[in-house]
Amino acid sequence: MTTAPPAGPAAPPRVPTGLFTPSPTSSARPAAPPLPPVRRTPLVVAALLAVALTAYVWSAHGAKPGVLLLLGLGLGVALFHSRFGFTSAWRQLVAVGNGTGLRAHTLLLGTTATLFAVIIGTGTGLFGSQPAPSGGSLGVGLVAGSALFAIGMQLGGACASGTLFAVGSGQTSVVLTLAGFITGATLAAWQYDLWQDLPAWDPVVLSDHIGWFGSWAVTIAALLLVVFVSRRVQARRNPPPLGPVPSARGAAVRALRGSWPLAAGALALAVLGAGVLLVSGGAWGVTSAFSLWGSELVGTLGGHPENWTWWRQPGNADMLAGPVLADKTSLTDIGIMIGAAVAAALGGSWALHRGIPWRTAVASVLGGVLMGIGARLAGGCNIGAYLAGIASGSLSGWVWGAFALAGTWVGLKLRPLFGLGNPKPGDGVC
């Protein structure tokens, strides 16, 4: 009679790494907490404001601005429900290797690139608009500005779009970030003469060289490579899962009140952003409005921003001379804040946060100032430069993203100085 040799140690289970299998985390994602009750007063106020402002803009400035405001409202709803952020996604990736948020970015970027290729490639526009790609210059301003922006968003706690929807949902500390953001963008516009001559090269837009189909194919291939690399990094580092947010059972209730999957948010934002391109002829952006709002305030206080070199540039002078509620970016920005307020109140999450630690307040303002300056130096933010640039097939968008990742690493090193934490491998969630 023979006996089987003693079994050795069991081999660890093979982690699936296929493109469409879930990426591993150190533990399962906790269950979502139940939704709090609807915040009726904020909901009524935000809904009435949305209706009244839409009616005013439509009657005073016409259908095109009115539709842009509606698109902004939709963007605010989608951003809040999906909690679609760039700041936390890059922080999770750099700190612990969780690439879930970055892969949601690739879905947003790829879908937007597809829609942009169809719209711009066929010259399709509404209200007489002529859609055009967003191609930024390549140079010192882009590199320094994107890195500064990323440092700022890690200190301020939100990116450009995240700042707007967080303010709309009542996050008081991010109001300080927005104030700093407007201040930094206005300072950069005021001191445009100091940085306008930084070394730079002309934009490189792929469609100018290989056509729109070729541009789209290269962009999608590059995004798939990002997905593959981020999955390999996550499999190796085995990070904590993302933290849950309140949600609801049932598709209908979840759509109106609960949290959306990141993929649903990415698709909704891509469609709404393409709508902005169709209606206005330009990609969705955020930060040019901050320079405008700050400069309007300077003018109200007796200053003369119309004499600044920035506001004498082609296109900028008309923006400053026109009404704020006819400005494309101002309309979508305001819409995002109101739309997020409606969604947050429906979800029971709208609340003003009191007792902000002084170091958090300092970080919020400083982060906002850095983002405002960085966005002007780089020619845009995570939306106008990164999203619109990559979706347009512009090399500037990829450069912006690369140096924003480097700036994120620096920002994570600075966060503890202000009492702000970073994800750690042993955390239950990141």
Side-chain angles (χ1 to χ4, degrees):
M1 179 177 179
T2 59
T3 57
R14 191 172 183 271
V15 177
T17 56
L19 185 61
F20 298 105
T21 54
S23 295
T25 52
S26 58
S27 61
R29 189 178 190 184
L35 282 173
V38 175
R39 297 294 308 277
R40 288 185 173 82
T41 299
L43 175 60
V44 170
V45 171
L48 288 176
L49 182 58
V51 172
L53 189 60
T54 301
Y56 171 77
V57 169
W58 208 291
S59 62
H61 302 295
K64 180 177 178 179
V67 172
L68 287 169
L69 179 60
L70 290 175
L71 288 168
L73 292 168
L75 287 165
V77 170
L79 283 164
F80 176 81
H81 276 303
S82 59
R83 272 49 166 204
F84 200 98
F86 294 80
T87 305
S88 59
W90 280 326
R91 181 162 61 240
Q92 291 153 0
L93 176 71
V94 174
V96 293
N98 192 322
T100 304
L102 180 66
R103 290 189 291 277
H105 293 181
T106 64
L107 179 59
L108 169 61
L109 289 161
T111 307
T112 305
T114 302
L115 295 173
F116 273 29
V118 173
I119 294 170
I120 304 175
T122 60
T124 303
L126 301 176
F127 301 102
S129 64
Q130 296 295 320
S134 296
S137 299
L138 304 171
V140 174
L142 175 63
V143 169
S146 55
L148 272 180
F149 187 94
I151 295 169
M153 69 181 181
Q154 293 304 329
L155 297 180
C159 57
S161 52
T163 296
L164 294 173
F165 90 74
V167 167
S169 60
Q171 296 185 35
T172 313
S173 63
V174 185
V175 174
L176 299 176
T177 303
L178 178 60
F181 214 145
I182 294 170
T183 300
T186 306
L187 287 172
W190 173 44
Q191 294 299 320
Y192 178 65
D193 290 331
L194 293 179
W195 54 272
Q196 65 170 322
D197 293 325
L198 290 173
W201 293 267
D202 291 337
V204 176
V205 179
L206 291 177
S207 61
D208 293 339
H209 305 278
I210 56 177
W212 274 104
F213 179 78
S215 172
W216 172 83
V218 169
T219 300
I220 296 301
L223 291 172
L224 288 173
L225 178 61
V226 170
V227 171
F228 174 77
V229 171
S230 75
R231 289 178 63 85
R232 295 300 296 267
V233 169
Q234 183 162 334
R236 189 179 74 247
R237 297 184 66 178
N238 200 32
L242 300 186
V245 293
S247 193
R249 294 183 178 179
V253 178
R254 187 175 186 184
L256 290 174
R257 298 196 60 222
S259 63
W260 296 356
L262 281 173
L267 294 174
L269 292 172
V271 171
L272 291 164
V276 173
L277 177 65
L278 270 172
V279 171
S280 68
W284 172 29
V286 174
T287 57
S288 65
F290 296 162
S291 297
L292 175 62
W293 299 352
S295 298
E296 291 282 5
L297 178 60
V298 169
T300 301
L301 296 176
H304 296 281
E306 69 277 4
N307 295 330
W308 301 350
T309 305
W310 171 262
W311 290 115
R312 285 185 278 164
Q313 300 302 300
N316 290 354
D318 292 339
M319 186 190 306
L320 183 65
V324 169
L325 290 179
D327 172 58
K328 164 199 143 183
T329 308
S330 295
L331 288 167
T332 51
D333 284 2
I334 293 169
I336 288 170
M337 290 188 283
I338 299 174
V342 171
L346 266 175
S349 300
W350 196 96
L352 293 176
H353 302 274
R354 299 176 177 84
I356 304 170
W358 71 268
R359 287 196 295 174
T360 301
V362 171
S364 298
V365 175
L366 176 60
V369 170
L370 291 176
M371 284 193 287
I373 294 172
R376 290 283 64 81
L377 288 175
C381 60
N382 58 294
I383 300 299
Y386 173 62
L387 171 59
I390 291 178
S392 298
S394 174
L395 184 59
S396 63
W398 292 101
V399 174
W400 196 101
F403 282 92
L405 276 176
T408 295
W409 183 85
V410 175
L412 295 185
K413 299 297 182 183
L414 296 176
R415 280 172 61 86
L417 300 178
F418 298 91
L420 303 173
N422 293 318
K424 295 178 177 60
D427 291 343
V429 296
C430 63

